[in-house]
């Protein structure tokens, strides 16, 4: 019995290793979150594009909005995590401290939610993809897989859905609008923004001036 269990464990570990290595060269065929969106909204709008085909504006906008130290950290922003813990312990609305690398690990390999098991696995995957994939691949996978609307995934599909153009052709303002709806794209709509979204959009536009794509 124990030999069978060990064999199953070895096979799971091997499959994960192969999937991680494979993921350095290819986008995921589908993710758990995308399957969830398909069942929830009855559609799956997705169009994977290469890092170069995304254009710089949307990269800068999302980094400005989500993780301005992306190119400097090792997958974890400890200052952001500390701030999030203090904020949450104060009884305020829950705030995350996840980096783009952590979100990529979650979106590609895991599921949504706040369980400790998922967070632990997320940390392991984050550490590994930082070592094996590198920053450009992580950012490409993130921008291709992230949820950006109801059944809409990735910056290319979002660009076509909201602005009827390719992501590489987005203006600075349009790219900032796509980043503005994160992290709640099911609720927010850049075509019908609230006062809060307008304020956030202006902030992202300013922050984009400080983002450098290394």
């Amino acid at each position: 019995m124990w030999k069978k269990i060990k064999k199953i464990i070895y096979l799971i570990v091997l499959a994960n290793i192969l999937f991680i290595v494979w993921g350095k060269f290819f986008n995921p065929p589908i993710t758990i979150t995308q399957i969830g969106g398909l069942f929830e909204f009855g559609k799956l709008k997705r169009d994977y594009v290469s890092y170069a085909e995304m254009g710089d504006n949307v990269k800068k906008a999302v980094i400005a909005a989500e993780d301005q130290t992306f190119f400097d950290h090792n997958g974890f922003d400890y200052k952001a995590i500390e701030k999030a813990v203090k904020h949450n312990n104060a009884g305020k609305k829950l705030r995350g401290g996840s980096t783009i690398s952590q979100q990529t690990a979650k979106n590609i390999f895991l599921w949504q939610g706040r369980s400790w098991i998922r967070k632990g696995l997320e940390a392991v995957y984050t550490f590994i993809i930082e070592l094996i994939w590198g920053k450009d691949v992580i950012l490409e996978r993130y921008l291709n897989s992230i949820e950006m609307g109801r059944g809409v995934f990735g910056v290319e599909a979002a660009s076509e859905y909201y602005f009827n153009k390719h992501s590489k052709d987005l203006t600075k303002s349009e790219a900032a609008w796509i980043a503005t709806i994160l992290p709640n794209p099911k609720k927010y709509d850049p075509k019908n923004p609230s006062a809060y979204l307008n304020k956030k959009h202006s902030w992202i536009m300013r922050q984009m001036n400080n983002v450098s794509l290394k």
Side-chain angles (χ1 to χ4, degrees):
M1 182 66 179
W2 175 238
K3 288 184 178 181
K4 289 184 179 180
I5 294 174
K6 287 198 296 183
K7 186 176 181 180
I8 292 173
I9 293 173
Y10 290 150
L11 289 174
I12 292 173
V13 171
L14 179 60
N16 272 272
I17 292 172
L18 293 174
F19 188 38
I20 291 170
V21 173
W22 183 86
K24 180 178 175 66
F25 304 99
F26 304 99
N27 285 287
I30 198 165
T31 67
I32 295 175
T33 304
Q34 290 172 356
I35 293 172
L38 178 60
F39 276 99
E40 185 175 359
F41 302 110
K43 63 180 181 180
L44 176 58
K45 292 185 177 296
R46 182 189 70 176
D47 189 3
Y48 291 150
V49 291
S50 70
Y51 187 81
E53 292 175 307
M54 293 174 177
D56 289 347
N57 279 335
V58 74
K59 296 172 191 172
K60 290 182 177 181
V62 173
I63 289 174
E66 295 291 293
D67 184 4
Q68 293 187 24
T69 63
F70 172 68
F71 286 105
D72 300 317
H73 61 61
N74 64 351
F76 305 93
D77 186 340
Y78 299 104
K79 290 184 179 179
I81 293 172
E82 184 179 355
K83 287 181 181 179
V85 170
K86 289 181 178 179
H87 178 90
N88 297 338
N89 287 342
K92 299 178 182 179
K93 185 178 179 180
L94 289 178
R95 174 191 293 174
S98 295
T99 63
I100 283 176
S101 301
Q102 289 174 274
Q103 293 182 55
T104 303
K106 176 184 67 176
N107 290 334
I108 300 297
F109 301 104
L110 303 169
W111 60 93
Q112 305 298 315
R114 292 184 176 274
S115 71
W116 286 108
I117 293 176
R118 201 226 69 201
K119 290 298 291 184
L121 290 172
E122 177 187 295
V124 173
Y125 280 114
T126 299
F127 177 77
I128 295 173
I129 64 175
E130 278 279 340
L131 288 176
I132 297 178
W133 289 6
K135 293 295 186 179
D136 286 359
V137 174
I138 290 173
L139 187 57
E140 179 184 325
R141 299 292 174 266
Y142 175 77
L143 292 174
N144 271 326
S145 64
I146 189 171
E147 188 171 22
M148 293 197 162
R150 298 186 173 188
V152 179
F153 294 86
V155 294
E156 183 70 7
S159 300
E160 294 171 353
Y161 183 72
Y162 294 116
F163 300 109
N164 296 312
K165 60 172 64 176
H166 296 297
S167 57
K168 66 179 180 180
D169 297 323
L170 290 172
T171 65
K172 181 179 178 181
S173 178
E174 290 167 343
W177 274 120
I178 285 180
T180 297
I181 64 175
L182 303 174
N184 199 342
K186 293 180 182 179
K187 176 182 178 182
Y188 299 140
D189 184 351
K191 293 184 178 180
N192 186 29
S194 62
Y196 165 75
L197 286 187
N198 278 313
K199 184 177 180 180
K200 184 179 178 183
H201 175 263
S202 297
W203 179 83
I204 291 174
M205 289 275 287
R206 294 193 300 271
Q207 295 301 310
M208 286 173 70
N209 296 325
N210 303 323
V211 174
S212 174
L213 300 174
K214 297 181 180 180

